[in-house]
Amino acid sequence: MKNAKAHKTVLVADDQEFVRSLVMRMLQQLGYETHSAKDGDEAMLALKFVDGALILDQQMDGKTGLEVLKAVRSGKTSLDRDFPVLIITGNADKDVVQYASALDVSGLLGKPVSKAQLGERLAVAMQRKIKLRSPEEYDIINVVKKPEPEYEAIPAPAPPPAEDKIGDSKAEAPEGDGEAKLANAKTLKTKDDPKASSGKNGSQRKVRTNIHYKDAQPGMTVAENLVSSHGKLLLGAGTELNENLIARLAVKCETDPSLRFLPVFVPD
């Protein structure tokens, strides 16, 4: 069985690099060859490299997982219409499940994806025989679109005076719920520019990496927008973390597994 797996290439498409890398590593441990795509549009171009299955995140940049699945079932790709397609979804959204079922999805994977879940559902998907309907029946299905992040139209609060302690529990918090408080945090002027991610005097260079949220430290800088699984902006790219923000973010990460690994800049 392992030899058979070694000849099958599985495409993993997810716009979160750490999720994509994690799933690929588990697949390789299970005996599969892998190919990756950073979004749905790139996945469409990479279909020619796979002969095993597709594993697609539902809410990724470009085409969503359901849109790629629809293209396959409608016969608009180079793959057979019954090709195994699994969808990764960060929450039990009934609309996603409904449309995925209507498109004869081969399997659903919930975040965070475990090796046991991945191996079991992929094996079932690759053995399952789909009773296909006509391409036209799939083509008329209007799949769920990726929601746009909700940006609060509230100006960010002024930074505290230099003498104030970072993360002082007595400091006045911004108005609004927890997500609005995070979204309204102090933001640096630039995002991923290494020069712009230097310290105040321009001498301290920072390096981008992914960390578990429990390892977050004051002074680290968010490398890209952090968006909840519900599509709300929590922290903008360039936000400098302090103890107060880390504590608030930890609460969100505990209830939203998709946020548990954070892209940040750390001092070199």
Side-chain angles (χ1 to χ4, degrees), residues 90-225:
N91 52 67
D93 186 288
K94 66 179 182 180
D95 288 333
V96 172
V97 175
Q98 176 184 345
Y99 286 112
S101 178
L103 290 167
D104 288 318
V105 70
S106 305
L108 291 171
L109 296 167
K111 288 183 179 179
V113 180
S114 70
K115 183 177 176 181
Q117 177 196 54
L118 179 64
E120 177 185 354
R121 297 192 183 176
L122 182 56
V124 170
M126 295 178 70
Q127 295 172 6
R128 179 187 174 196
K129 299 297 182 184
I130 299 174
K131 187 176 180 180
L132 291 170
R133 289 169 283 140
S134 69
E136 291 75 20
E137 289 180 83
Y138 294 111
D139 199 38
I140 63 174
I141 298 173
N142 293 319
V143 297
V144 179
K145 299 289 185 181
K146 179 179 178 180
E148 292 294 329
E150 297 180 12
Y151 294 86
E152 299 291 338
I154 302 175
E163 64 272 17
D164 284 0
K165 294 182 180 179
I166 295 176
D168 186 348
S169 60
K170 296 181 180 179
E172 183 178 354
E175 295 296 327
D177 61 18
E179 291 181 350
K181 291 174 183 177
L182 290 173
N184 289 332
K186 181 179 69 175
T187 301
L188 301 181
K189 292 183 178 180
T190 57
K191 299 181 180 180
D192 294 352
D193 185 350
K195 294 181 180 178
S197 61
S198 302
K200 291 181 179 179
N201 59 7
S203 61
Q204 186 183 44
R205 184 179 179 185
K206 295 186 177 182
V207 177
R208 176 170 174 151
T209 186
N210 289 318
I211 61 166
H212 193 276
Y213 74 92
K214 291 183 178 179
D215 296 324
Q217 298 292 329
M220 292 181 177
T221 305
V222 178
E224 60 186 56
N225 288 344

Side-chain angles (χ1 to χ4, degrees), residues 6-7 17 35 43 49 93 140 181 191 217 244 253 260:
H7 295 291
E17 183 178 359
H35 194 84
F49 298 111
D93 186 288
I140 63 174
K181 291 174 183 177
K191 299 181 180 180
Q217 298 292 329
N244 208 11
C253 293
R260 291 185 181 175

Side-chain angles (χ1 to χ4, degrees), residues 8-11 47-56 69 72-73 77-86 103-107 122 125-126 128 130 132:
K8 295 294 184 180
T9 300
V10 178
L11 173 67
L47 299 181
K48 60 185 177 181
F49 298 111
V50 298
D51 59 1
L54 305 181
I55 297 180
L56 313 168
L69 171 60
V72 173
R73 296 290 182 256
T77 72
S78 59
L79 299 175
D80 292 337
R81 292 203 297 123
D82 61 352
F83 195 81
V85 181
L86 294 88
L103 290 167
D104 288 318
V105 70
S106 305
L122 182 56
M126 295 178 70
R128 179 187 174 196
I130 299 174
L132 291 170

